[in-house]
Amino acid sequence: MRIYSQLMPIRALTFDIDDTLYDSRPVISRVEQAVVLWLLKILPSHLTFDVNSWLKLQQQLVTVDPMLKHDIRERRRKTLKIGLMQLGFRLNEAEVLAQQGIDVVIEMRNQIDIPDETHIVLKELSAHFPLIGLTNGDVDVDKIGLSQYFVEVYYAGRDGLSKPEPDLFNLAKQKFQLPAENILHVGDHLKADVHGAKQCGFQACWFNDQKQQIPQEPKVNTLPDVEITQLSQLLEVVGIEHSTDIKTYS
């Protein structure tokens, strides 16, 4: 753990979800593989598709409609719909199939094994502080077994622009009815989480489990208040004595 500035009293916490409370990288990889297999299953044998072309299409759609940058599910749906139409499907067919593709994504996206450490830490914290989740992703915290720890979860797209934009942070502040300086945001991303939180007046905890070095990070212009490499270190940050279960992770 590394302290960069003296912390103000902490009365509530907000959390990034993906890559902070669990590792989303293998999950996203499985989602992408499932979508490819689904496409191979539904496409006629004479049609072929190239993954890179679909990624390029997604980038083009974001350029045309920048709001898609903030709504990952709608971005996926439109990419599937337009991509299928480019392959010759009619609009109605493409819309129905695109929704089927989203259903595949949702099913795979929520098949996650949450680390025991995450459950233990969130249980300890939620017994002492109100917690809110702020996510740029679309994982369902109820389906992955984390909803019981949060008083609310705000999603980019559905509830506002994605972090580091202030929308989700402001919603959390309004929900807590607390000064921003008494709220600690915890997240793995230096721009989306640390910079986003600090520009809204929150305190920021950088979850750096990948042992990155701040000077090596591109366009880093905001330091966190505290840096941790294990989620269990949060208990020390907020002044909660480690339980017996937590000590096994320290």
Side-chain angles (χ1 to χ4, degrees), residues 136 162-167 169 191-193 195-197 199-200:
N136 287 352
S162 57
K163 299 172 294 179
E165 297 297 330
D167 297 35
F169 295 104
K191 183 177 180 181
D193 293 304
H195 178 69
Q199 72 175 352
C200 290

Side-chain angles (χ1 to χ4, degrees), residues 169-203:
F169 295 104
N170 287 337
L171 286 172
K173 180 184 173 183
Q174 293 169 13
K175 181 71 174 181
F176 285 140
Q177 289 293 294
L178 291 170
E181 64 187 19
N182 295 128
I183 304 170
L184 179 68
H185 179 69
V186 184
D188 71 292
H189 200 282
L190 281 169
K191 183 177 180 181
D193 293 304
V194 173
H195 178 69
K198 294 291 288 181
Q199 72 175 352
C200 290
F202 287 39
Q203 299 183 91

